[in-house]
Amino acid sequence: MNQIVEKVLFSEKVAKFVVEAPRIARSRKPGHFVILRVDEKGERIPLTIAGADPVKGTIVLVVQKVGVSSAKLFELNVGDSILDLVGPLGKATEIHHVGTVLACGGGVGVAPMLPIVEGFKKAGNRVISVLAARNKDLIILEDEVRQWSDEVIIMTDDGSYGTKGVVTVGAESVIQREPINECIAIGPAVMMKFTSLLTKKYNIPTQASLNAIMVDGTGMCGACRVSVGGNTYFTCVDGPEFDAHQIDFDELIMRLGGYSSEEKIAWERYQ
Amino acid sequence: MSTNKEYLQNEREKEWRVELRKKIANKERTAKERVRMNEMDPFERIKYQNREVNLGLTAEQAQAEAARCLDCPNPTCMEGCPVSINIPKFVKYIEAGQFLDAAKALKETSALPAVCGRVCPQEKQCESTCFYTQKMKKDPVAIGYLERFAADYERESGFMSIPEVAPSNGIKIAAIGSGPASLSFAGDMIKLGYDVTVFEALHEIGGVLKYGIPEFRLPNKIVDVELNNLKKMGVKFVNNFIVGKTVSFDDLKAEGFEAFFVASGAGLPRFMGIPGENYNGILSSNEYLTRVNLMNAASDEFDTPVIRGKNVAVIGGGNTAMDSVRTAKRLGAERAMIIYRRSRAEMPARVEEVHHAEEEGIEFINLANPIEYFADEKGKVNRMRVQRMGLGEPDASGRRRPIVLEGSDFDIPVDLVIVAVGVSPNPLIPSALSDLKVSKWGTIEVGEETMQSSIPQLFAGGDIVRGGATVILAMGDGRKAAENMHEYLQSKHQ
């Protein structure tokens, strides 16, 4: 159960895992996530599914080492199994024919964005993808995104690859050049906040996929609550995607730090 | 499952029962004082998250208490039991010293006696309809303590009896969720010969018994023993599986499942919608208790974190609120407070829990309601504003309605707030079935007597129907659903 059949290192801290999960592989749709627990002592952590092969019965997860739990997962190898894996969770992305879609992915956010890009392309849209990261090594899944995009723009903070600058610089250049009907933003909360501010200026409907703190992932705990349009929603059952222009990103960023002091202690103990 | 009068009468007329009744005069029986539960010292017990407060009765205590029971010809106590335990039978077995037989009698109708003996609100159920309570205005027979005694005795004896199971009828059925409603349902259906699979979304089986109720009230190993019994009887458990998500109902039907019992619980915590409620350090009781109970967050060896507050406020007056505040005390809170908008008399929590909380130094700020939270520059809660309440006329629940006393606001410094003001039904199942009839509150609508939903092969019970109740009411639903699903499937297979 949940055996890792392939592991590809994207960088020192980012890896792709192909995991045996036949039922999830068959039922998942773009936008869905899973909750997993590496071992008996582990946390339950959410990860958005980056792809699936229903025939082989596998799903793709992309993991970035940021804390104890992601580090434990990162260290697993082909042949190892993830103790607990449940899903697919959350609401699937609403994919339809809208015209031109601008997909903005930051860092490992490109992984969950990939199936969405694929979905929009297959639905007959023109898709322009902007991939952004701190440097060249952290740009992931470029070829895969390219396969489902009419155009791919690469942005790096240090200019080591593509154009130097943040995601919004690349996005704005596209918006100023041609009409965009819908925008998708997935990545770090700050990146989504600024992407959202940009598209709001141009009145482009935008969906952002949130990476809130979760425990159960089924609506039970409320750790993942987020303010959207002044109302509180649960990211796990109401999301993970919401109308970006209505999201209170500052609150989201604040809430993502809700256990930072506990996490720091755990990290020190782990090392 | 027979609980009819004739059956009870026959049991009561068995020789051993008749002899036992003659042994002690009723006058002598009623003159005895109710036994007191042996408890761990409050100052000692608050140091441990996982040590049980109640220590159980000794055999002598249990037999003496059982002797108080008059073995009434019309055992009204049973009317108060949602799973119709043959109470006089098991109590009299205890009096006779046949403790293993007492445990067997419990298991005729209850899948979880060691659990019920610990967490049932007996004062509102069997003990409230005991002859002593109703007719003599005396303390009732301690039925709950005795139930626990019999179940514990059996477990510790090493001679656990496994209830008899009918030969397999080959009919596949599923229970969704693995809490008390499902376990009770599964126990009854496996006895009837069905092929029963229980699907659970979490990694642990047991539902609220595992993620919700703390170990100082219900140790996990007690739950595991009861789960093992069900496994030995043939019930299959599948964890990490969300029906309606991992697979659809249609997939399960294609795999041969002929009927479903949905007991997916009240998995959506309610918040109050007041300013500042999304600050860090303010969480639902579900989150807090799940972190500590299911994820072992209080232990350094486990990866899941939990916030350890010094000044902890728990909002609410139910059992979940008591569980949360007593957990906070055990995790080192200097001030652990209950903030409740009505008075102690209206508190829905079990009397014993409130009493234990008081012994442990929990502060009760009753007739008070939070109206706003404040935080430091990092967004971590540091203060709450509370409004004084008065009590008005009784409301629909029969309890006096809290009314706001204007201009009575005051602030309390807090660094952890746990909101325990109730739960809403989990939307996962209803949203997976478009033709399922649900109420405006999101609960699944079922026939009151049949537990059958608008989809004939789908039955439901527990909190997904009730919207937030007790372990034993959920178990009662499970039994009722089992009986009616059995009838439904038998008529279909004729």
Side-chain angles (χ1 to χ4, degrees):
Chain A
M1 288 265 276
N2 315 329
Q3 203 180 48
I4 295 163
V5 295
E6 192 189 339
K7 179 181 178 180
V8 181
L9 280 178
F10 285 159
S11 69
E12 221 173 75
K13 288 188 168 179
V14 181
K16 170 180 134 171
F17 290 91
V18 180
V19 185
E20 229 171 33
R23 291 203 192 254
I24 301 173
R26 278 198 296 272
S27 48
R28 72 94 219 187
K29 291 194 176 76
H32 279 147
F33 66 94
V34 292
I35 290 261
L36 61 84
R37 199 168 71 120
V38 175
D39 57 35
E40 285 293 341
K41 308 247 158 102
E43 250 183 304
R44 292 171 66 91
I45 53 168
L47 272 179
T48 309
I49 303 168
D53 185 332
V55 180
K56 286 190 189 149
T58 56
I59 60 169
V60 178
L61 301 173
V62 173
V63 183
Q64 181 173 28
K65 208 158 114 176
V66 286
V68 175
S69 298
S70 52
K72 275 185 166 181
L73 177 58
F74 189 86
E75 278 151 26
L76 295 184
N77 288 305
V78 171
D80 292 340
S81 288
I82 296 168
L83 179 64
D84 297 298
L85 180 67
V86 64
L89 294 160
K91 287 186 177 158
T93 311
E94 280 181 35
I95 290 174
H96 32 219
H97 181 80
V98 290
T100 303
V101 174
L102 176 63
C104 302
V108 284
V110 173
M113 196 180 81
L114 175 63
I116 298 171
V117 166
E118 179 184 341
F120 273 103
K121 185 67 203 164
K122 284 181 175 167
N125 295 284
R126 171 175 160 76
V127 178
I128 303 164
S129 298
V130 181
L131 310 186
R134 281 204 310 279
N135 58 48
K136 183 172 191 252
D137 288 347
L138 299 175
I139 294 285
I140 62 167
L141 298 167
E142 183 190 337
D143 292 344
E144 290 83 349
V145 171
R146 226 170 251 290
Q147 193 190 340
W148 302 107
S149 306
D150 294 270
E151 185 185 348
V152 174
I153 295 167
I154 308 282
M155 304 294 299
T156 51
D157 292 358
D158 64 356
S160 54
Y161 188 41
T163 309
K164 186 174 171 166
V166 291
V167 71
T168 43
V169 175
E172 192 157 23
S173 70
V174 178
I175 294 169
Q176 286 176 340
R177 184 185 75 193
E178 63 179 293
I180 301 295
N181 302 91
E182 196 169 319
C183 175
I184 312 292
I186 310 184
V190 178
M191 168 261 164
M192 292 191 283
K193 175 185 169 177
F194 286 101
T195 307
S196 172
L197 286 172
L198 172 76
T199 59
K200 198 171 184 177
K201 198 167 83 183
Y202 292 98
N203 264 323
I204 302 165
T206 301
Q207 299 289 318
S209 177
L210 308 186
N211 52 341
I213 292 177
M214 294 183 189
V215 183
D216 64 289
T218 62
M220 207 179 78
C221 82
C224 64
R225 50 198 203 277
V226 55
S227 294
V228 183
N231 296 312
T232 297
Y233 292 93
F234 288 3
T235 305
C236 64
V237 286
D238 301 318
E241 286 165 34
F242 294 99
D243 175 353
H245 298 161
Q246 303 289 320
I247 296 168
D248 182 342
F249 280 104
D250 293 332
E251 183 190 272
L252 175 74
I253 292 164
M254 181 265 289
R255 288 188 61 79
L256 284 170
Y259 287 88
S260 53
S261 46
E262 287 82 4
E263 283 160 3
K264 210 176 138 220
I265 296 168
W267 182 245
E268 279 160 11
R269 197 183 295 131
Y270 178 72
Q271 285 188 320
Chain B
M1 276 195 207
S2 29
T3 52
N4 58 61
K5 274 198 169 146
E6 204 180 322
Y7 164 78
L8 290 178
Q9 202 54 40
N10 287 339
E11 293 257 306
R12 188 176 181 270
E13 288 315 320
K14 285 194 174 153
E15 210 182 315
W16 71 273
R17 291 266 290 265
V18 178
E19 287 302 312
L20 201 61
R21 279 200 294 278
K22 284 189 199 150
K23 256 173 85 178
I24 307 174
N26 277 355
K27 220 172 167 183
E28 208 179 309
R29 291 180 189 273
T30 58
K32 291 173 192 270
E33 288 285 315
R34 177 179 156 118
V35 68
R36 291 184 62 131
M37 174 54 79
N38 306 311
E39 292 171 1
M40 202 175 162
D41 178 75
F43 295 103
E44 188 59 20
R45 73 192 187 217
I46 56 170
K47 296 180 200 158
Y48 306 97
Q49 169 63 22
N50 53 5
R51 291 224 193 151
E52 239 191 315
V53 172
N54 285 350
L55 301 173
L57 303 180
T58 63
E60 294 73 36
Q61 284 176 312
Q63 282 184 283
E65 182 62 20
R68 289 181 70 223
C69 169
L70 301 175
D71 198 4
C72 306
N74 175 25
T76 47
C77 52
M78 287 184 63
E79 291 163 15
C81 179
V83 297
S84 311
I85 287 175
N86 190 339
I87 294 169
K89 181 177 174 183
F90 101 79
V91 171
K92 288 298 116 181
Y93 268 133
I94 292 178
E95 185 185 340
Q98 291 171 251
F99 305 141
L100 292 175
D101 289 317
K104 242 186 209 168
L106 286 168
K107 285 198 277 193
E108 283 170 20
T109 64
S110 172
L112 313 165
V115 172
C116 294
R118 286 172 167 79
V119 305
C120 269
Q122 289 96 3
E123 75 269 10
K124 289 180 190 157
Q125 293 170 339
C126 51
E127 294 183 16
S128 79
T129 52
C130 171
F131 184 79
Y132 279 79
T133 317
Q134 289 195 326
K135 295 285 175 351
M136 299 179 59
K137 307 288 169 229
K138 282 191 174 183
D139 287 338
V141 174
I143 300 167
Y145 296 169
L146 292 175
E147 179 181 25
R148 172 187 162 144
F149 169 78
D152 285 0
Y153 181 89
E154 188 197 33
R155 187 182 59 254
E156 285 156 15
S157 74
F159 296 100
M160 289 285 276
S161 71
I162 304 298
E164 247 177 74
V165 173
S168 167
N169 62 18
I171 302 173
K172 261 170 98 169
I173 55 163
I176 298 161
S178 69
S182 265
L183 298 178
S184 158
F185 167 86
D188 278 1
M189 291 306 264
I190 202 86
K191 281 184 201 165
L192 290 167
Y194 289 90
D195 179 351
V196 187
T197 307
V198 177
F199 293 103
E200 167 57 48
L202 293 175
H203 58 267
E204 277 272 345
I205 304 296
V208 73
L209 306 176
K210 282 285 178 70
Y211 74 73
I213 303 176
E215 292 220 67
F216 56 79
R217 210 147 73 78
L218 178 65
N220 284 345
K221 63 174 201 291
I222 303 276
V223 182
D224 287 335
V225 169
E226 312 249 32
L227 290 172
N228 267 331
N229 275 344
L230 288 168
K231 278 182 202 159
K232 282 183 199 155
M233 288 164 75
V235 177
K236 290 172 232 167
F237 291 96
V238 181
N239 65 349
N240 295 321
F241 196 104
I242 303 180
V243 177
K245 286 274 186 189
T246 308
V247 300
S248 66
F249 278 90
D250 286 337
D251 292 334
L252 287 182
K253 280 184 215 160
E255 286 180 27
F257 287 94
E258 293 189 36
F260 303 89
F261 176 58
V262 179
S264 47
L268 213 58
R270 260 185 236 145
F271 288 89
M272 295 172 67
I274 58 177
E277 209 174 19
N278 286 348
Y279 282 134
N280 288 326
I282 303 173
L283 43 149
S284 73
S285 48
N286 267 3
E287 178 181 350
Y288 186 66
L289 293 172
T290 300
R291 284 179 182 274
V292 177
N293 299 334
L294 181 74
M295 306 308 296
N296 289 300
S299 160
D300 284 349
E301 292 165 50
F302 287 79
D303 297 340
T304 302
V306 64
I307 299 172
R308 289 171 189 263
K310 290 239 175 304
N311 293 298
V312 184
V314 176
I315 319 303
N319 286 320
T320 311
M322 296 305 142
D323 287 345
S324 303
V325 79
R326 295 173 67 200
T327 297
K329 186 80 191 175
R330 283 160 171 77
L331 297 196
E334 285 161 13
R335 205 177 167 201
M337 301 163 266
I338 284 284
I339 315 279
Y340 180 52
R341 64 196 185 123
R342 306 188 203 227
S343 76
R344 160 115 191 227
E346 288 82 23
M347 267 191 187
R350 286 175 85 215
V351 172
E352 186 179 60
E353 307 314 325
V354 178
H355 170 68
H356 282 163
E358 282 171 337
E359 284 181 343
E360 290 164 10
I362 304 301
E363 214 176 305
F364 284 80
I365 303 177
N366 292 338
L367 291 166
N369 204 30
I371 51 172
E372 188 170 1
Y373 297 101
F374 303 91
D376 63 17
E377 69 287 348
K378 284 182 172 165
K380 172 85 193 290
V381 68
N382 59 12
R383 188 160 53 93
M384 69 189 288
R385 184 153 297 160
V386 172
Q387 195 168 45
R388 278 274 166 218
M389 310 294 282
L391 287 178
E393 294 300 307
D395 63 11
S397 73
R399 298 176 300 174
R400 292 179 65 195
R401 187 191 303 274
I403 44 174
V404 172
L405 301 180
E406 295 295 346
S408 63
D409 304 357
F410 63 103
D411 286 5
I412 304 173
V414 286
D415 53 6
L416 177 62
V417 176
I418 298 156
V419 184
V421 296
V423 283
S424 301
N426 195 305
L428 285 179
I429 299 283
S431 66
L433 290 165
S434 54
D435 38 354
L436 182 68
K437 237 171 122 181
V438 291
S439 73
K440 63 178 172 183
W441 298 282
T443 52
I444 298 178
E445 288 191 358
V446 294
E448 205 181 315
E449 284 312 310
T450 62
M451 310 310 286
Q452 193 169 24
S453 75
S454 57
I455 300 171
Q457 68 268 46
L458 198 144
F459 295 69
D463 282 357
I464 189 69
V465 166
R466 295 171 178 274
T470 59
V471 167
I472 189 66
L473 287 171
M475 288 179 60
D477 288 353
R479 296 207 74 210
K480 249 199 259 178
E483 195 180 332
N484 287 288
M485 186 190 285
H486 176 51
E487 212 168 278
Y488 165 80
L489 287 170
Q490 290 310 308
S491 68
K492 230 175 107 179
H493 277 265
Q494 258 171 15

